């Protein structure tokens, strides 16, 4: 309007959804961590390196950004531990406010699991911290540049 061009924030896209650059970098980090966990589980056997809470939190973080619904059954399968153990871990995460369970809208028999705001904040803070560690920055938060270097 005043003859000056306004500059939109830098955005990347995942699928058909536009997301801020930092979110894109966090997603890339999270995907790489999931791939690393799978490689570790394949090499050592999942029963020797089980970390179901971490595995489920990463799956929920990725799924929510991809706008996928995660049912309790599939989330428990993703954890690579017995179903009863995974369900107990979901209950623990729910009790400390990281996830919530809701009855599925279309199929009342299904239970949908989602991250709470606290759970999402915890994962994002942890991903930022891991990027700092990876990039050798042990002091103040590294910001977007560290996330981008780690994600690439």
């Amino acid at each position: 309007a005043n003859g000056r061009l306004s500059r939109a924030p830098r955005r990347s896209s995942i699928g058909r959804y536009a997301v801020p650059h930092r979110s894109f970098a966090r997603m890339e980090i999270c995907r790489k961590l999931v791939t690393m966990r799978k490689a570790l589980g394949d090499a050592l056997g999942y029963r020797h390196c089980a970390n179901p809470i971490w595995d489920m939190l990463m799956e929920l973080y990725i799924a929510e950004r991809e706008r996928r619904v995660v049912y309790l059954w599939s989330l428990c399968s993703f954890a690579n531990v017995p179903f009863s153990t995974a369900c107990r871990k979901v209950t623990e995460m729910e009790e400390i406010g990281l996830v919530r369970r809701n009855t599925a809208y279309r199929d009342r028999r299904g239970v949908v699991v989602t991250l709470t705001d606290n759970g999402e904040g915890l994962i994002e803070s942890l991903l930022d911290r891991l990027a700092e560690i990876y990039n050798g920055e042990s002091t103040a938060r590294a910001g977007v540049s560290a996330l981008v270097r780690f994600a690439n």
Side-chain angles (χ1 to χ4, degrees):
N2 61 6
R4 298 172 75 186
L5 295 175
S6 64
R7 185 177 176 139
R10 184 172 177 183
R11 298 174 95 59
S12 301
S13 60
I14 299 171
R16 63 179 191 258
Y17 303 105
V19 296
H21 194 63
R22 179 178 280 243
S23 294
F24 178 77
R26 286 179 180 144
M27 276 289 289
E28 290 304 307
I29 292 167
C30 201
R31 284 189 176 114
K32 286 181 180 187
L33 290 169
V34 167
T35 301
M36 289 178 203
R37 286 284 299 145
K38 288 179 181 178
L40 185 61
D42 290 345
L44 297 176
Y46 286 98
R47 68 186 187 116
H48 296 297
C49 62
N51 196 342
I53 289 177
W54 177 237
D55 292 337
M56 289 188 282
L57 286 173
M58 286 191 298
E59 169 62 7
L60 288 170
Y61 184 80
I62 291 170
E64 287 189 14
R65 269 125 205 91
E66 293 176 345
R67 301 182 191 254
R68 285 187 289 117
V69 174
V70 178
Y71 291 94
L72 180 62
W73 178 260
S74 64
L75 183 63
C76 290
S77 298
F78 191 82
N80 294 301
V81 293
F83 187 76
S84 59
T85 300
C87 282
R88 255 191 332 274
K89 298 301 180 185
V90 170
T91 299
E92 289 173 22
M93 290 188 291
E94 189 174 33
E95 288 172 353
I96 61 174
L98 298 177
V99 302
R100 80 176 58 82
R101 291 188 242 201
N102 297 302
T103 304
Y105 176 71
R106 293 180 188 240
D107 181 358
R108 300 275 181 222
R109 296 171 295 171
V111 176
V112 176
V113 182
T114 57
L115 285 173
T116 63
D117 290 342
N118 288 341
E120 181 178 338
L122 174 77
I123 292 296
E124 289 180 344
S125 173
L126 184 55
L127 291 172
D128 291 347
R129 187 164 179 212
L130 291 173
E132 291 172 11
I133 292 167
Y134 179 81
N135 291 305
E137 300 172 19
S138 59
T139 57
R141 292 192 165 253
V144 174
S145 61
L147 284 168
V148 171
R149 285 192 308 269
F150 182 76
N152 293 328

